[in-house]
């Protein structure tokens, strides 16, 4: 499994970085939309929709909502703020689990709308980030999330004693979460040094790194809620050693809207 994970990462990571810098903006947006479509297909399984036709309809509906939201660029801030508010509710569901499950899983319509709110704002945020701020800021977001994941893993393994959300994801620890935040802050510091940013701007950007790393963990935990209710280990198996696409972008679903909104406010 470890060898598969490493080989998959070694193949896909350089290709993705190339796509970020080399592909025209429109083509890159469609590439990201492909991830949304696959993520929607996988999410349908997490909400216990197993018939291929209905799963395709869910995925297509999510893609359609993302396209509609992207066409109304004048309402970008509204989309981002709506996503931030929605993630606030998700935090409540994570903290309260297993209570209040019916609030976010009892209705089929609510479950499908969760897929829309999970993936559509992420795509809108990512394409606007790529087109509005450039490839470097897009990769900054990716590295912030990777930093949070790596810090949480290594610090959690070494020092983790206090469970972060034991009923949702027993492997995560408070120490690991703090380590993830620290790693993300270090990534942001390196970026600010590279950009030769003014010292006056450091506080805002470092606060943004803290927020993004924190909500990236929330994104992971929120997917874990659906996995637990559906009794599914991975969202899919399309990526050898890594599970499904949704397993790889769960942190990004939460982090992307927060990151772009934060940049717009700085």
């Amino acid at each position: 499994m470890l060898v598969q994970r490493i080989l998959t990462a070694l193949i896909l990571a350089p290709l993705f970085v190339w796509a970020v810098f080399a592909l025209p903006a429109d083509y890159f947006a469609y590439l990201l939309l492909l991830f949304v479509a696959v993520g929607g297909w996988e999410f349908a399984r997490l909400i216990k929709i197993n018939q291929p036709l209905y799963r395709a309809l869910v995925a297509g509906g999510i893609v359609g909502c993302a396209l509609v939201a992207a066409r109304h660029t004048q309402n970008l801030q509204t989309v981002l703020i709506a996503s931030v508010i929605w993630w606030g509710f998700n935090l409540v569901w994570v903290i309260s689990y297993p209570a209040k499950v019916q609030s976010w899983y009892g209705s089929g319509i609510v479950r499908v709308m969760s897929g829309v709110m999970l993936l559509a704002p992420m795509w809108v945020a990512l394409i606007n980030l790529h087109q509005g701020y450039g490839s470097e800021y897009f990769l900054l977001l990716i590295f912030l999330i990777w930093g949070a994941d790596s810090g949480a893993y290594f610090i959690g393994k070494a020092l983790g004693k206090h469970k972060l959300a034991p009923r949702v994801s027993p492997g995560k620890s408070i120490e690991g979460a703090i380590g993830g935040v620290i790693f993300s802050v270090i990534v942001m510091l390196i970026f600010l040094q590279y950009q030769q940013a003014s010292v006056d701007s450091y506080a805002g950007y470092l606060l943004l790194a803290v927020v993004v790393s924190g909500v990236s963990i929330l994104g992971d935990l929120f997917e874990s809620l659906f996995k637990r209710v559906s009794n599914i280990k991975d969202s899919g198996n399309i990526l050898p050693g890594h599970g499904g696409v949704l397993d790889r972008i769960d942190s990004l679903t939460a982090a992307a809207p927060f990151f772009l909104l934060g940049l717009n406010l700085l």
Side-chain angles (χ1 to χ4, degrees):
M1 182 66 71
L2 179 60
V3 173
Q4 283 185 330
R5 289 177 66 91
I6 293 174
L7 288 176
T8 301
L10 288 176
I11 293 171
L12 293 183
L15 288 175
F16 185 76
V17 172
W18 172 84
V20 170
F21 284 96
L23 282 182
D26 288 345
Y27 289 108
F28 185 68
Y30 291 134
L31 174 63
L32 295 179
L33 193 61
L34 177 61
F35 293 149
V36 170
V38 176
W41 171 268
E42 294 175 349
F43 185 80
R45 178 168 169 258
L46 294 186
I47 59 175
K48 298 183 179 180
I49 297 177
N50 296 314
Q51 188 173 352
L53 175 60
Y54 293 146
R55 288 180 70 182
L57 287 174
V58 170
I62 292 173
V63 168
C65 290
L67 288 169
V68 170
R71 290 181 185 277
H72 296 83
T73 54
Q74 69 275 16
N75 296 322
L76 174 61
Q77 290 294 91
T78 302
V79 172
L80 298 178
I81 292 172
S83 177
V84 168
I85 293 172
W86 182 73
W87 279 106
F89 284 108
N90 293 344
L91 178 61
V92 174
W93 312 144
V94 169
I95 293 173
S96 63
Y97 183 80
K100 301 180 180 179
V101 171
Q102 290 300 312
S103 300
W104 52 270
Y105 204 88
S107 166
I109 294 176
V110 171
R111 277 180 273 163
V112 172
M113 286 306 300
S114 290
V116 173
M117 292 300 296
L118 185 72
L119 294 165
M122 177 200 70
W123 184 69
V124 172
L126 289 177
I127 63 173
N128 279 277
L129 174 64
H130 186 251
Q131 296 172 10
Y133 287 90
S135 301
E136 290 180 345
Y137 277 86
F138 189 97
L139 280 187
L140 171 62
L141 171 60
I142 302 302
F143 284 131
L144 287 173
I145 294 173
W146 284 351
D149 287 345
S150 300
Y153 177 80
F154 290 113
I155 300 301
K157 282 288 187 181
L159 303 174
K161 294 181 179 179
H162 302 88
K163 300 298 183 181
L164 179 66
R167 292 171 294 184
V168 179
S169 184
K172 289 182 171 56
S173 67
I174 295 175
E175 293 84 358
I178 294 172
V181 171
I182 292 173
F183 272 47
S184 288
V185 168
I186 292 173
V187 169
M188 182 62 84
L189 283 171
I190 294 172
F191 176 79
L192 293 174
Q193 287 289 318
Y194 170 76
Q195 291 288 95
Q196 296 182 341
S198 64
V199 176
D200 294 341
S201 67
Y202 270 46
Y205 279 99
L206 293 179
L207 176 60
L208 181 58
V210 172
V211 171
V212 166
S213 59
V215 296
S216 72
I217 297 172
L218 175 59
D220 187 306
L221 291 173
F222 187 62
E223 189 202 359
S224 295
L225 284 182
F226 287 91
K227 288 180 179 179
R228 286 209 164 271
V229 174
S230 302
N231 195 28
I232 293 174
K233 180 181 179 181
D234 295 320
S235 65
N237 55 13
I238 194 172
L239 302 174
H242 290 266
V245 167
L246 201 57
D247 294 322
R248 293 302 91 208
I249 65 172
D250 52 6
S251 299
L252 195 59
T253 58
F258 277 85
F259 184 68
L260 183 58
L261 182 61
L263 284 181
N264 290 343
L265 294 176
L266 286 176

